[in-house]
Amino acid sequence: MEKKIILSGIQATGVLTLGNYLGSLNNWVEMQDKYDCYYMIADLHTLTIRKDPEELRKNTLALLALYVAAGLDPEKNTIFIQSHIPAHPALSWVLNCYTYMGELNRMTQFKDKAAKHADNINSGLFTYPVLMAADILAYNADLVPVGDDQKQHLEITRDIAERFNSIYGKTFKMPEAYIGKVGARIMGLQDPTSKMSKSAVNELDKILLTDTPDEIRKKFKKAVTDSENKVRYDKEAKPGVSNLMSIYGIIKHKSMEEIEKEFDGKGYGDFKSAVAEAVVERLEPLQKRYNELLESPEKLRAIYEKGDKKAREITDKLLKEVYKKVGLVI
Ligand code: TYM
């Protein structure tokens, strides 16, 4: 039987958080043996918010290094840079003509970002989901592993694909979001009612993948909990503790019941340090590999050149089919 196709990506915007890692990258690593996987560095998407050009270039290679350091094997996966594949923006243009303003207007991420960057509500920010649809549909992906904040973008991708297929006959496969049961939404450590975000102003709210062990310990120590002093999973009544349990559970491969048992009779102090140590233990080797890879730009180049080549071959074929169907001379 043919392996199912996976595609996903992360924006090349500076350092990732533990939320990005547990919500996406960590799942990708677990999928690499079972599926035919395509993982890209989403650099075109980052242009929707103004960036320093040198910083973007640096972030792009750093993210590639992080993919590999987190455990993605370049021999098993196709790892590539989005802007190196001309079919992404080309297909995005075509799909833009099959997407309605009303649909894009409903995207909560657009509303959030437009509010945050009121001085630069460019049309790229508005059509961002269409480029994401092109990323996914260009590979005929079956599954797209993402955190649950991307669910709406997957829904619009399916709507666009369905519309195109119904006009021109089956062209695109219908992709599905693959969202982990736990960790789909890691919350802030200071405000456990909103997601942990790269752009959080309060440094204590987020764990960065490059944080030192002492920074990690300090942030968990200061994490907001509640006054019950009992490790018990209840997302509504105990959002802080439940979030810490999710983090611990993913890293230690433990269910919430197992964690409740493990910390039965123990207070939050013990629990928080156990969570911090689990995170430190996971991130230390990752950071070591990451720093080594950053020192070998030629290794990184070889990885993306290999990935780019394969990605280009696949998407050129599909783009031609789309161009032909809509009536362009090919
Ligand atoms: P981005 O770069 O914002 O986030 C990357 C991934 O991290 C997940 N994530 C989280 N998961 C759990 N808890 C959190 N607190 C948390 N914060 C972020 C996101 O859901 C995402 O999976 N548009 C995408 C990038 C993209 C893409 C694609 C993804 C571009 N093209 C095609 C899939 C397929 C984005 O901005 O992700």
Side-chain angles (χ1 to χ4, degrees):
M1 211 176 78
E2 283 218 347
K3 282 183 176 173
K4 285 199 168 169
I5 300 171
I6 303 284
L7 177 127
S8 198
I10 297 178
Q11 286 197 71
T13 40
V15 185
L16 299 196
T17 67
L18 188 64
N20 295 123
Y21 174 68
L22 296 179
S24 61
L25 197 46
N26 185 49
N27 291 336
W28 304 357
V29 175
E30 292 180 2
M31 296 174 111
Q32 62 185 347
D33 291 313
K34 217 167 136 200
Y35 300 100
D36 184 11
C37 301
Y38 295 82
Y39 295 122
M40 62 171 202
I41 318 288
D43 56 348
L44 291 174
H45 275 108
T46 68
L47 300 180
T48 53
I49 311 273
R50 290 278 176 275
K51 289 275 149 18
D52 173 64
E54 274 318 309
E55 205 168 298
L56 173 55
R57 249 186 294 278
K58 217 175 98 208
N59 286 342
T60 301
L61 293 179
L63 186 54
L64 175 64
L66 196 71
Y67 280 9
V68 179
L72 286 185
D73 181 347
E75 297 301 319
K76 289 186 190 157
N77 305 280
T78 304
I79 303 175
F80 64 95
I81 298 178
Q82 183 190 31
S83 63
H84 292 185
I85 315 301
H88 290 230
L91 180 60
S92 172
W93 171 251
V94 176
L95 298 180
N96 260 308
C97 304
Y98 297 84
T99 309
Y100 295 108
M101 305 270 289
E103 287 176 301
L104 292 173
N105 249 330
R106 284 198 290 274
M107 296 291 114
T108 53
Q109 192 153 313
F110 169 69
K111 288 186 211 162
D112 290 350
K113 287 199 176 163
K116 243 190 220 158
H117 303 275
D119 56 335
N120 181 23
I121 308 178
N122 59 73
S123 56
L125 198 61
F126 190 61
T127 58
Y128 179 114
V130 187
L131 177 58
M132 186 160 155
D135 298 336
I136 297 166
L137 299 176
Y139 295 81
N140 271 321
D142 294 284
L143 294 172
V144 183
V146 282
D148 84 349
D149 60 338
Q150 297 297 317
K151 221 163 149 183
Q152 208 185 18
H153 289 160
L154 259 297
E155 281 159 15
I156 194 173
T157 299
R158 290 168 61 91
D159 290 344
I160 298 169
E162 205 162 72
R163 183 168 306 135
F164 193 96
N165 285 350
S166 74
I167 304 174
Y168 300 103
K170 183 151 185 349
T171 311
F172 300 120
K173 218 190 253 173
M174 294 302 263
E176 265 174 54
Y178 175 96
I179 297 177
K181 276 190 240 34
V182 271
R185 188 174 284 253
I186 299 295
M187 312 307 269
L189 297 186
Q190 289 299 310
D191 176 7
T193 58
S194 29
K195 75 164 185 174
M196 185 182 286
S197 161
K198 288 176 213 170
S199 56
V201 187
N202 183 353
E203 289 298 322
L204 290 175
D205 199 49
K206 57 189 176 190
I207 301 283
L208 299 178
L209 294 190
T210 48
D211 278 347
T212 62
D214 282 344
E215 280 166 336
I216 294 171
R217 290 185 186 110
K218 180 176 138 201
K219 288 180 182 179
F220 278 112
K221 205 172 192 170
K222 298 203 166 183
V224 166
T225 48
D226 52 68
S227 55
E228 195 189 21
N229 208 25
K230 186 172 166 57
V231 178
R232 183 169 66 78
Y233 191 80
D234 181 340
K235 237 171 156 179
E236 267 70 53
K238 296 163 71 71
V241 170
S242 303
N243 186 42
L244 297 180
M245 289 176 76
S246 300
I247 294 173
Y248 188 71
I250 299 173
I251 295 181
K252 292 285 193 188
H253 299 284
K254 286 190 176 174
S255 68
M256 297 303 119
E257 295 76 46
E258 285 170 322
I259 300 173
E260 285 172 0
K261 241 186 233 149
E262 184 180 345
F263 293 96
D264 190 24
K266 293 189 183 141
Y268 288 162
D270 286 345
F271 175 54
K272 282 178 168 182
S273 34
V275 180
E277 288 321 309
V279 173
V280 167
E281 211 175 278
R282 173 64 70 91
L283 293 188
E284 259 187 333
L286 184 154
Q287 290 175 351
K288 190 166 165 276
R289 287 195 295 271
Y290 173 69
N291 289 323
E292 283 164 7
L293 280 163
L294 286 182
E295 297 294 313
S296 339
E298 64 301 331
K299 223 185 229 172
L300 295 175
R301 177 189 276 271
I303 293 171
Y304 73 69
E305 282 183 346
K306 182 167 167 268
D308 289 353
K309 186 165 175 279
K310 186 163 174 209
R312 226 177 280 130
E313 280 166 13
I314 291 183
T315 53
D316 279 355
K317 214 167 123 228
L318 187 112
L319 183 66
K320 270 208 184 114
E321 190 190 335
V322 169
Y323 274 5
K324 194 171 163 200
K325 285 195 166 157
V326 297
L328 304 183
V329 175
I330 56 163

